Amino acid sequence: MRGDFIFLLFLPCILCMIENLDDNYDTIIEFKEDNVTVSGEIGVEYDGTRVNITESGSYLVTGICDEGTINIYSHSVNLYLDNLELSSSITSPIYISKHLKDIKIIALNNVNISDYEEIDSSGGDCAAIKIKKKSSVSFYSHNTFYINSTCKNAIKGASQATLTFEDCSGKYRIDSFFNG
């Protein structure tokens, strides 16, 4: 009986590690200052530093970009972030469309997502990560996941959005001008 208890106690940690350290990515996206490079190109449309994910799958995202965006428009997306610095002064660097289920954002190593919009900007999202209504998103951090907004909100969830922060080995640092 005691062995079963210990197994159940550690089962969530084991499942978190197994589920999120998959290195079989459908598509790899690398941000650069003025463009992105994509290998695999399954379910990805891109122009300059704007990336739209349009199909279910696993996506690895890396690189550094001061004016980049990732927009998710499909259910069942695993977004693996690895050594990524992504920011925008125009819109949210990460945007999840409405009514999407089973979206996972997994920070593997040193992730910094920042929104630098002006508080009075017209039409801006004013959030580092924006989640539209009735979408469900789970966050995982295996190292350091930094989410920052100098405008309003670090993470903005619309009505009936579900946000879950899973218990993994990493840390979250969330800074914002108004709300975390």
Side-chain angles (χ1 to χ4, degrees), residues 30-116:
E30 182 180 0
F31 276 90
K32 299 176 181 173
E33 279 307 320
D34 58 353
N35 64 23
V36 295
T37 57
V38 176
S39 61
E41 298 194 34
I42 295 173
V44 175
E45 299 169 355
Y46 57 98
D47 182 25
T49 58
R50 179 186 173 130
V51 173
N52 295 331
I53 295 176
T54 59
E55 292 182 27
S56 300
S58 295
Y59 300 84
L60 175 66
V61 184
T62 66
I64 298 173
C65 184
D66 287 333
E67 292 293 341
T69 60
I70 302 168
N71 304 299
I72 300 175
Y73 297 107
S74 179
H75 298 284
S76 301
V77 169
N78 295 334
L79 192 66
Y80 293 87
L81 311 177
D82 191 29
N83 293 309
L84 176 67
E85 290 185 31
L86 187 64
S87 62
S88 178
S89 64
I90 300 165
T91 189
S92 296
I94 297 179
Y95 169 88
I96 293 107
S97 190
K98 58 186 171 181
H99 303 280
L100 297 181
K101 303 295 178 206
D102 196 28
I103 306 300
K104 296 176 183 165
I105 300 177
I106 302 120
L108 298 176
N109 293 296
N110 305 317
V111 176
N112 184 342
I113 306 297
S114 300
D115 177 43
Y116 295 109

Side-chain angles (χ1 to χ4, degrees), residues 116-131:
Y116 295 109
E117 292 178 76
E118 295 289 328
I119 193 78
D120 61 350
S121 66
S122 61
D125 292 329
C126 288
I129 300 174
K130 185 171 185 178
I131 303 163

Side-chain angles (χ1 to χ4, degrees), residues 101 132-136 158-162:
K101 303 295 178 206
K132 296 298 277 184
K133 71 179 183 177
K134 295 186 179 181
S135 288
S136 64
S159 67
Q160 300 175 346
T162 303

Side-chain angles (χ1 to χ4, degrees), residues 18 20-26 28 58 60 80 108:
I18 292 170
N20 297 313
L21 292 179
D22 174 24
D23 60 358
N24 296 319
Y25 309 110
D26 297 313
I28 299 173
S58 295
L60 175 66
Y80 293 87
L108 298 176

